[in-house]
Structures are given as C-alpha cells and as structure tokens.
Amino acid sequence: MEVEEEVKRIIDEVKDLHDSAASFISSSSQQELSLRQKASAVDSSIRRLHSTLVSNKNLDPKLVEKLEEDLHRARCMLVDGETSSFLPSKPQGRFVRMFCGPVNVRALRKDVQLKVKEEYNRYRDKTALLFLFFPATLLILRSYYWGGCLPAFPVQLYEAWLLFLYAGLAMRENILRANGSDIRPWWLYHHYCAMAMALVSLTWEIKGQPNCVQKQRGVHLFLQWAMMQGVAMLLQNRYQRQRLYTRIALGKAKRMDVVWGETAGVDGQLWLLCPILFILQVFEAYVGLLLLRKTVTGVVNEWQVMVCGILLVVMAVGNFINTVETLMAKSRVKAKMKRSKSRAELN
Amino acid sequence: MEEVEEEVKRIVEQVKELHDSSTSFVSSSSQEELSLRNRASVVDSSIRRLHSTLASDKHLDPKLFEKLEEDLQRAKCMLADGDTSSFLPSKPQGRFVRMFLGPVNVRASRKDIQLKVKEEYNSYRDRTALLFLVFPAILLTLRSYVWDGCLPAFPVQLYQAWLLFLYAGLVMRENILRANGSDIRSWWIYHHYFAMAMSLVSLTWEIKGQPNCVQKQKGVRLFLQWAMMQGVAMLLQNRYQRQRLYTRIALGKAKRMDVVWGETAGVDGQLLLLFPILFTLQGFEAYVGLQLLRTVLTGVVAEWQVLVCGILLVVMAIGNFTNTVETLMVKSRFKAKMKRSKSRAELD
C-alpha cells in the first residue's frame, strides 16, 4: 500500500536525519572546542610576549615599537574577525543571568553581533525622542491645561514606562558586552541607577490640590531631569552612529586597521558633544542637590526624595568622571596614531 | 633579541591561520546547519501531510490505520525530542523577549543546554516559591505583633518591587523556554504578565498610615493574602513538575522514543492531590478580587488601583481555572489512549 510505504520511508528518513544531526552536533562541538583552545593559547601568548617586550630594557626602542605594533595588529585581527567568537568570553553578566537564566546570549557569528548592535542603536533612537517628548508634553499640559497641577496617573504611567525602558537598555547593553563590545561598565551602572530612580519615583505619592506647586516640586524636578537625559541620549546617539559608520567603512577597506580609525571623522562632533554633556551633568547634580536640600530643610520628608537626590548626585559624578576618562583615552589614541603615521611617512 | 622577533612573527602567523580556519569553520557549519534545517522542515511537513492523508482516508482497515498513526507519532517524537529538534523551524521568538533583549537568538542549539535551561528554571522557581510565602507572612505577622495593626509603607513597597522583578524574571525565562521548544501553555505566561501588572499597580498604591489604618489598609492586606496563596500554589506546582521531569528523564534514558507515553506515569497520585488545592486557591483568588471590587463600589476606598487590581485578580482566577480544567481533560484523554494502546499491544 502506498501510504504504508510512504510512512516507512518517512521513518527511515527521520532516523537518517537524527543520525546526521547527532554527528554534526558532535563534530562541530569538537571543532569549536579545538578552535577555542587555540584562540585562548594564542591570546595568552600575545599577552606574554607583550609583557616580555615591555619589561625588556635592552631592546632597541624602534624595534620594540615595531614589534608592539605587530602584536597589536595581531591582537586586533584576533578580536575583530571571526575568531572573536572563540576567545574566552567575559562571564555573562549577573544581570542577564538573573532574568534570563543560563541561556547563552553570545552570538557566534560576527554578522549577528553587528545586527545586535544595529538593533540597539535603533532602539536608542526610537526611545530618545520619546524620552524628550513625553515629559515635555506632561509639563506643557500642566501649565496650560491642568491648572499647574499634575494628575497622578499620567506621571505614574510615564515612570513605569521609564522603568521598562531602562530595563531594556540595561539588558541589551549586557548582551552587547557579552558579545565583545567595549562599553564601559559605568554606563551599565548608570542605567541600573536610573532604573532604581524610576522605581522609587513610582512609589512617590503625587499630591494634588491645594498648594500643589510646592508639593509637586519634586516631581517637577524629576521631569526636568528626564528631559535632560533625553537630550543627552539624542546627542550620544548621533555621535555613536557616526563612529559606527566610520568603523564599518574602514572595516571594508582595511580590516586590521579598524581600531586606528577610532577617532577619525568624528572629531568635530566630539568637541560639540562633550561640553553639552558636561553642562547636562552639572544640571543633573544641581537637581540632585536641590532634592537633598529639600529633605534637609524638612520641606518634604519622604524617603523617596532623599534616595532620588542621592542617586542623581551619584549619577552626575559618575557620568562626569567617565566622560573625562573617555576623552583622555581618545586623545591618547590620537597621539599614538599621529606618531605612527609620521613614522610611516619617515620610513 | 632575535628570539623575541621570531616569536612575534610566529604569533602573527598563528593568528592568520586561526583566522582562516575559524572563517572556514563558521561558513561550513552554517552551510551544514542550513541543509539540516531544510531536511528537517521537509520531513516535518511530510509527516503532517501523511497524517492528514491518513485521517481523511476512509477506506483503510482501522487496525492498520491505528498502527500507521502510531508509527507516524513515534517518528514525530523522535524528530521533536532528539538532536534534530534544534533544526526544526522554530516558533518566532516572542515579542516580549525581543522587546527586552533585541534580536539575540535565545534558542539553544544543543539538547543538553535546553535541558540545563529547564533545570535552572525549576530551581529558580523553587528558590522563589519559598520566599513568595515567607515574605508576606512575615509582613503580616509583624503587622499583628510589632506594628500595631498598621503596615509601614517602605517594607510593603520593597516587597512589591521584588514581586515585580520576580515575575519579570519568570516571564523572561518562560518565553525563552517556549523558544526552546517547551510546550508551556500560553495562559501561564499571560498570568505572569497580569501578576507583573498587579505588582506595578500596587507600587503606586498609597499606603496610608494611622489613624484608622485597619480599614484603609484592607486592600493591602488582601493583596498580601493573595500573594501568600500564590506562593502555596507555586510550591505545589513545583513539586508536581519536578516529579514529571524526573519521570521523563528516567524514561528517556530507557527508551527515547517513548518519552511522551510516560507523560502521566508516576504522578497520578500527586495530580489528584494538586488539583483540588489549585481549585480552592483559584476560588479564593476570585473572592479576593471581588472583595476589592466591592470596596470600590461601596466607596470605602476610591482609588483606581483597587479597581484595576480587583479586575486583574478576577481575570487571573477565571483564566487559571479554565486552563487547569483544560489540562485535566487533556491528561485524561491521554491516559485513555495509553490504556487502549497498551491493551492492544497485549492482545497482539
């Protein structure tokens, strides 16, 4: 019977498929393991050689520089190409493990990693505008429509949205780090602090009339802080997008020199971005100090005000320090690039 | 000195080699994976096609029909339960996972990793089920003996925030399990979304203090009682699921293709204990929801949070009840089928 034969054939095919799948999985696991071991061995050899070079005082300095450059180039090739997936990875963040369990969020292929980064940038773009727009709308409605008093529900809705937004950002950034991105840990901690602020503000009682101008002062300051964050995020997005396009363009041209192009093409933007960031950070600290002052002078004595004030000051100080450190790291890279360029021209 | 130069040259060569071999590995394994996926998808659709052909064919000898159906089912299980499962076309990854994690692929390609994910999920539930019960119990006990019948705002809000993160973690893990082929009913995931909404809403709930806080805090007390019930339900379900998983693993080691037949083996007694308790808890959950709605209607407390929480509780109770009944019915149909095939095997 036809049907009987077909069923028999299907069963055989399934058995076949099962065997091929099992052998594929085991052989690719073996190959992957051997590649990982090789990558880890090469990585540690590079480190060892690097420290040997640095500690060896008897070498001709020019030779040392050339060798260091070669090592660095080799390292970049290791880190930027397909081999990066086989390097020993940073242990996956506690945050990701706390919410997702032991799932491996590390993409094996480089193009998937780039896709993750692109999606992250798009996500930031989508939300940066809302970040600015939502509190602006609330404040405008407050002045013209609600008689100077914000009703509780829209503000709480906004605070809940902020919480989920920052949770999404924190999660994505943890995943990017697991995929080899060099996001500074502070930016992740900044988002954790922002999540805490959104959570704390949710419990904040939004008192109504009468005299709500004074009672709602804390909420007012919170919304202003949120708008500043939106502006900062928009500016940072533009800057990061420029950097990424530059890197991709250079990557297509000459893969090993991607890192040298770190600062190319975005100098002008950097000089515009950093002063604005500093101003925003100062304003953030100012808002935090205002909130702390209200607690100290006893105008409002809820714990939320104090906690938010502390969080804001911590965030402002951390942001400032990290922005300065990033600037310093970039100028070091630029100086190094200039030196190697001029040396290449001399030779 | 030349040594160092030599070593550096050697390292650079090694890196180039490694780069080439990893590129070729990645591309060849992608190709093989693609071909396996195609084959799996073809086989899967052939099985479906044959199954519908069999079902619609009226001229078959019924005994032959049953035998062929069993063979097809066995093939399907082999496909779904073994190493091939990673190559089957997967359900599109949940919107929730994409919303928080982006386009990362949370589908583990190897079966042992999938089992590890499931085990971690179970141990996570175990860890938290106890806290689920202990935390509100402590709050209520302290209320009676230390706080003069009034709950201070901060501990309760801390607890509500913890609930929110707990349910978010459960939801995320369950979505990942579904992407990895688990057959969790969608309702349980929605139930956790509703619970997350409840925690979020309760966070904005103003916890009024003295005086007369017994009446004002009635809603909060009902919320804590609901949370304790949830803890009990979770503990019972964990025990049941653990038994099921061990049974499946044991049977899996014995006879891989018959894992699905062992679905109900060994846990019958527990099931009969579990379901009445679940029904009782669901009844209580609906009762709490209706109480909250009543406090809104009689105007004792006029906040929107009470209304929303009341509605959420009633929805959750009804959904839980409906799904528990459906699960029971599916299981008894299954048992009947198993008995029939067992007796037929004995006759032959």
Side-chain angles (χ1 to χ4, degrees):
Chain A
M1 265 237 4
E2 252 186 52
V3 177
E4 229 182 317
E5 287 215 11
E6 274 208 71
V7 171
K8 277 207 189 97
R9 207 167 14 99
I10 288 287
I11 293 184
D12 286 333
E13 234 181 280
V14 168
K15 287 201 181 120
D16 237 356
L17 189 62
H18 184 265
D19 293 334
S20 345
S23 71
F24 168 71
I25 287 181
S26 72
S27 80
S28 74
S29 315
Q30 274 182 342
Q31 273 190 322
E32 197 182 318
L33 192 63
S34 95
L35 280 172
R36 277 189 197 281
Q37 283 172 339
K38 278 196 206 154
S40 152
V42 167
D43 191 45
S44 43
S45 309
I46 290 182
R47 280 185 223 275
R48 191 176 38 84
L49 276 179
H50 181 80
S51 52
T52 313
L53 274 179
V54 167
S55 56
N56 195 328
K57 301 294 174 203
N58 310 337
L59 283 175
D60 173 25
K62 278 206 173 175
L63 185 61
V64 168
E65 265 205 69
K66 176 185 171 304
L67 288 178
E68 272 216 23
E69 237 189 85
D70 287 341
L71 267 186
H72 194 98
R73 223 175 274 247
R75 186 135 217 283
C76 291
M77 196 180 201
L78 200 63
V79 167
D80 271 335
E82 292 288 357
T83 41
S84 64
S85 344
F86 301 103
L87 283 172
S89 50
K90 303 181 189 77
Q92 219 152 265
R94 242 188 51 180
F95 188 77
V96 174
R97 259 196 334 220
M98 183 162 73
F99 279 102
C100 299
V103 176
N104 177 29
V105 291
R106 195 150 197 254
L108 189 63
R109 280 155 52 192
K110 197 80 185 163
D111 53 345
V112 177
Q113 286 185 351
L114 274 175
K115 190 172 111 180
V116 169
K117 183 147 182 117
E118 274 171 38
E119 199 274 348
Y120 170 71
N121 285 338
R122 273 203 316 267
Y123 181 74
R124 279 185 74 114
D125 285 343
K126 276 191 321 239
T127 59
L129 269 169
L130 281 173
F131 228 103
L132 195 53
F133 187 65
F134 211 148
T137 308
L138 284 177
L139 287 174
I140 291 173
L141 283 175
R142 187 187 90 114
S143 311
Y144 294 110
Y145 193 64
W146 284 324
C149 251
L150 288 159
F153 187 64
V155 180
Q156 284 165 342
L157 207 64
Y158 170 67
E159 287 160 353
W161 174 79
L162 262 192
L163 177 65
F164 282 110
L165 177 81
Y166 274 123
L169 277 176
M171 190 76 80
R172 278 178 169 75
E173 283 162 3
N174 272 296
I175 290 174
L176 279 177
R177 280 210 78 186
N179 276 298
S181 173
D182 56 353
I183 294 179
R184 275 173 169 270
W186 164 257
W187 303 122
L188 267 74
Y189 293 135
H190 170 81
H191 286 146
Y192 296 151
C193 288
M195 274 173 75
M197 256 205 74
L199 196 62
V200 165
S201 64
L202 264 175
T203 68
W204 212 337
E205 192 199 325
I206 296 173
K207 298 184 181 69
Q209 300 279 16
N211 200 16
C212 65
V213 171
Q214 194 188 38
K215 288 189 207 164
Q216 287 189 350
R217 187 125 194 277
V219 178
H220 195 69
L221 286 168
F222 174 79
L223 289 175
Q224 284 173 336
W225 167 78
M227 284 177 69
M228 292 181 330
Q229 284 290 100
V231 171
M233 201 183 261
L234 275 169
L235 289 173
Q236 280 170 330
N237 286 359
R238 278 188 70 214
Y239 171 70
Q240 291 288 357
R241 220 178 311 154
Q242 283 294 95
R243 268 192 72 204
L244 186 63
Y245 290 165
T246 311
R247 282 187 79 153
I248 291 177
L250 280 173
K252 290 191 177 137
K254 211 173 181 188
R255 211 175 179 137
M256 282 187 288
D257 284 344
V258 164
V259 73
W260 301 128
E262 272 268 321
T263 58
V266 293
D267 278 351
Q269 291 225 3
L270 208 58
W271 292 124
L272 172 69
L273 179 68
C274 283
I276 296 184
L277 284 181
F278 288 142
I279 294 174
L280 291 174
Q281 284 151 17
V282 166
F283 192 23
E284 189 171 22
Y286 168 71
V287 173
L289 290 170
L290 270 184
L291 284 175
L292 284 175
R293 200 183 69 164
K294 274 163 45 118
T295 315
V296 168
T297 62
V299 169
V300 185
N301 60 352
E302 294 164 320
W303 64 271
Q304 288 96 336
V305 183
M306 189 174 74
V307 169
C308 283
I310 293 175
L311 280 173
L312 279 172
V313 172
V314 164
M315 282 197 276
V317 169
N319 284 346
F320 180 73
I321 293 176
N322 272 270
T323 311
V324 166
E325 281 182 359
T326 310
L327 262 182
M328 279 168 45
K330 285 199 189 305
S331 23
R332 272 202 299 263
V333 170
K334 266 187 83 175
K336 199 173 186 183
M337 204 169 90
K338 277 200 174 132
R339 270 204 326 267
S340 58
K341 249 191 178 174
S342 50
R343 213 178 352 96
E345 281 162 4
L346 283 175
N347 295 357
Chain B
M1 215 269 303
E2 268 97 37
E3 261 183 43
V4 180
E5 230 182 314
E6 285 285 322
E7 273 208 73
V8 172
K9 276 210 190 96
R10 207 164 18 98
I11 289 287
V12 173
E13 283 298 317
Q14 266 184 11
V15 168
K16 288 203 182 114
E17 254 185 58
L18 191 61
H19 183 265
D20 292 334
S21 40
S22 20
T23 317
S24 67
F25 168 70
V26 169
S27 69
S28 76
S29 73
S30 316
Q31 274 183 341
E32 259 200 78
E33 197 182 318
L34 194 63
S35 91
L36 280 171
R37 278 189 196 281
N38 285 338
R39 281 171 66 185
S41 143
V42 163
V43 167
D44 191 46
S45 43
S46 310
I47 290 182
R48 280 185 224 276
R49 192 176 37 85
L50 275 179
H51 181 80
S52 52
T53 312
L54 273 180
S56 55
D57 194 336
K58 300 294 176 202
H59 304 298
L60 276 178
D61 172 26
K63 278 205 173 175
L64 182 61
F65 172 74
E66 270 207 59
K67 177 187 172 305
L68 287 179
E69 269 224 20
E70 239 189 82
D71 287 340
L72 266 187
Q73 180 73 323
R74 226 175 273 245
K76 197 161 206 286
C77 292
M78 196 181 200
L79 202 61
D81 270 337
D83 284 321
T84 41
S85 63
S86 347
F87 301 102
L88 284 171
S90 49
K91 303 180 189 77
Q93 221 151 265
R95 240 189 50 180
F96 188 78
V97 172
R98 263 206 323 244
M99 183 163 71
F100 277 102
L101 297 181
V104 175
N105 177 29
V106 291
R107 193 149 199 256
S109 56
R110 281 157 48 192
K111 197 79 186 166
D112 54 344
I113 296 182
Q114 286 185 348
L115 273 175
K116 190 172 111 180
V117 170
K118 184 150 180 116
E119 276 177 30
E120 198 274 346
Y121 171 72
N122 284 339
S123 64
Y124 180 75
R125 277 185 75 115
D126 285 341
R127 282 198 310 261
T128 58
L130 222 59
L131 282 172
F132 228 103
L133 196 52
V134 164
F135 211 147
I138 290 179
L139 284 177
L140 287 173
T141 312
L142 285 175
R143 187 189 89 111
S144 312
Y145 294 110
V146 177
W147 286 326
D148 293 326
C150 252
L151 288 160
F154 186 64
V156 180
Q157 283 164 343
L158 207 64
Y159 170 66
Q160 288 159 345
W162 174 78
L163 263 192
L164 177 65
F165 281 110
L166 177 81
Y167 276 121
L170 278 177
V171 164
M172 191 74 79
R173 280 177 169 76
E174 281 163 3
N175 273 297
I176 290 174
L177 278 177
R178 282 209 77 185
N180 275 299
S182 174
D183 55 354
I184 295 178
R185 271 173 171 271
S186 316
W187 165 258
W188 303 122
I189 302 186
Y190 290 135
H191 169 81
H192 286 145
Y193 291 148
F194 288 136
M196 271 174 77
M198 256 204 75
S199 327
L200 198 60
V201 165
S202 65
L203 263 175
T204 69
W205 213 335
E206 190 200 325
I207 297 174
K208 298 185 181 68
Q210 301 279 17
N212 200 17
C213 64
V214 171
Q215 195 184 42
K216 288 188 207 165
Q217 288 190 349
K218 190 151 191 266
V220 178
R221 230 185 53 234
L222 286 170
F223 174 80
L224 289 175
Q225 284 171 341
W226 166 78
M228 283 177 69
M229 291 182 332
Q230 283 291 102
V232 171
M234 201 183 258
L235 274 170
L236 288 173
Q237 280 170 331
N238 285 0
R239 278 189 67 211
Y240 170 69
Q241 289 289 356
R242 220 178 310 154
Q243 283 293 95
R244 268 193 71 204
L245 186 62
Y246 289 166
T247 310
R248 282 186 78 152
I249 291 178
L251 280 174
K253 290 191 176 136
K255 212 173 179 187
R256 203 162 190 152
M257 282 188 289
D258 285 343
V259 163
V260 73
W261 302 125
E263 271 268 320
T264 58
V267 293
D268 279 349
Q270 291 225 0
L271 213 58
L272 287 175
L273 171 70
L274 180 67
F275 279 104
I277 296 183
L278 283 181
F279 288 141
T280 310
L281 291 173
Q282 284 151 17
F284 192 23
E285 189 171 22
Y287 168 72
V288 173
L290 290 170
Q291 285 282 79
L292 283 175
L293 287 175
R294 202 179 69 163
T295 56
V296 170
L297 287 175
T298 59
V300 170
V301 184
E303 295 163 321
W304 64 273
Q305 289 96 335
V306 184
L307 180 69
V308 170
C309 284
I311 293 176
L312 281 174
L313 279 172
V314 172
V315 165
M316 282 198 275
I318 293 178
N320 285 346
F321 180 73
T322 312
N323 272 271
T324 312
V325 166
E326 280 180 1
T327 310
L328 255 183
M329 279 168 44
V330 164
K331 285 202 190 303
S332 28
R333 270 203 302 261
F334 217 74
K335 268 187 80 172
K337 199 175 185 183
M338 204 170 88
K339 276 200 176 132
R340 269 203 329 266
S341 58
K342 249 193 179 172
S343 50
R344 212 179 352 95
E346 281 163 7
L347 282 176
D348 294 334

